[in-house]
Amino acid sequence: MTAIKALDSTEQPTGYHLPPLPYPFDALEPFLDSETMWFHHDGHHQAYVDQLNKVIAPYPQLHNLTIEDLLRRLDEVPEDIRLAVRDQGGGHANHQFLWKVIGSPRNTQPQGRLLEALNDEFGSLTLFQEQFTKLALKHLGSGWVFLVINPENNKLEIMALANNDSVLLHKRVGLLICDVWEHAYYLKYQNRHAEYLKAFWNIVDWEVVSARLDNFYAGKQQL
Ligand SMILES: [Fe+2]
């Protein structure tokens, strides 16, 4: 891995930006309401991007890295901001990942290689969903639950990470992500955690999740 280089005088630092939500705020109704989605995307996600930009502002050599590279190369980030970059950058990366794998409820199903892998690893889609939900229920508070593939053995794993930790820091490739921070559901579900997690399965876009596994096997980079 090459060292992070300072930009030369002709390069303009870009920093990080909030990508627009890839669907309208009310697209996930009735499972997630537009107010929750607006606060979540325009409020919480924007705040992570703003904080990240603030933290890296004195270090122009970090301004042109993709968020994936910034997290993968965290050990090269100056020590005084490393923790903040892990937290704010992880928040940005995890939310960006989340918006991609959820979408309007249209009853998609895992396909092809993903369906086979879920059956091989967990027994069935239903058994996988039960295990994932069980772990998510234990982990509610501030954190995320993921379906990942481990590139060392090509096996699927369910992984729970606290705060804004990213699977990129654990050498895994994320296929699916669920936000279990209270801000993800509290306006609609309050303390009815199980109801939120049950509703979550209705907005998972399994076509995207299946494509992510195919992309992994095709060697394509993806957040
Ligand atoms: Fe969130």
Side-chain angles (χ1 to χ4, degrees):
M1 186 181 285
T2 54
I4 293 175
K5 285 187 193 136
L7 298 175
D8 68 38
S9 57
T10 61
E11 291 175 293
Q12 290 300 311
T14 57
Y16 294 94
H17 304 281
L18 179 68
L21 196 66
Y23 30 76
F25 290 115
D26 63 358
L28 311 186
E29 299 266 11
F31 301 105
L32 277 178
D33 57 293
S34 47
E35 196 182 11
T36 298
M37 289 303 291
W38 184 82
F39 274 111
H40 202 172
H41 179 269
D42 282 21
H44 292 278
H45 190 173
Q46 179 73 64
Y48 286 122
V49 172
D50 292 346
Q51 285 303 315
L52 179 60
N53 284 330
K54 203 169 155 187
V55 163
I56 64 168
Y59 300 97
Q61 72 270 30
L62 303 178
H63 292 189
N64 279 351
L65 294 176
T66 63
I67 188 64
E68 299 97 312
D69 279 340
L70 182 67
L71 291 170
R72 284 200 193 100
R73 301 170 73 163
L74 195 65
D75 55 349
E76 297 171 58
V77 168
E79 205 176 342
D80 61 321
I81 61 162
R82 200 173 294 156
L83 212 60
V85 166
R86 184 176 185 146
D87 199 32
Q88 307 301 335
H92 175 35
N94 284 350
H95 283 98
Q96 209 168 306
F97 177 11
L98 175 68
W99 310 136
K100 290 177 182 176
V101 294
I102 60 175
S104 56
R106 51 190 186 94
N107 199 27
T108 57
Q109 297 296 319
Q111 300 163 358
R113 215 192 294 240
L114 177 65
L115 182 61
E116 281 171 33
L118 287 169
N119 287 336
D120 286 351
E121 200 56 45
F122 304 103
S124 68
L125 172 62
T126 306
L127 289 171
F128 156 70
Q129 287 172 313
E130 281 175 15
Q131 277 192 45
F132 189 101
T133 302
K134 206 171 156 187
L135 190 60
L137 277 169
K138 269 203 278 186
H139 208 74
L140 286 161
S142 302
W144 301 82
V145 182
F146 303 81
L147 172 67
V148 297
I149 184 154
N150 183 344
E152 280 193 6
N153 57 16
N154 290 350
K155 281 193 171 287
L156 298 186
E157 299 168 359
I158 302 170
M159 178 178 253
L161 295 176
N163 302 318
N164 280 321
D165 207 359
S166 164
V167 293
L168 297 170
L169 297 164
H170 297 269
K171 298 189 169 46
R172 300 293 193 277
V173 175
L175 303 175
L176 174 66
I177 181 169
C178 178
D179 191 340
V180 293
W181 284 69
E182 275 196 346
H183 68 233
Y185 60 86
Y186 201 81
L187 279 179
K188 184 172 176 68
Y189 294 99
Q190 294 85 45
N191 61 344
R192 304 191 307 278
H193 310 134
E195 213 179 301
Y196 161 64
L197 292 169
K198 190 175 172 198
F200 174 74
W201 296 116
N202 292 283
I203 54 170
V204 170
D205 189 335
W206 284 111
E207 285 176 12
V208 173
V209 181
S210 302
R212 292 179 71 87
L213 185 60
D214 292 339
N215 287 341
F216 163 76
Y217 280 110
K220 291 185 194 161
Q221 290 280 335
Q222 58 193 341
L223 177 64

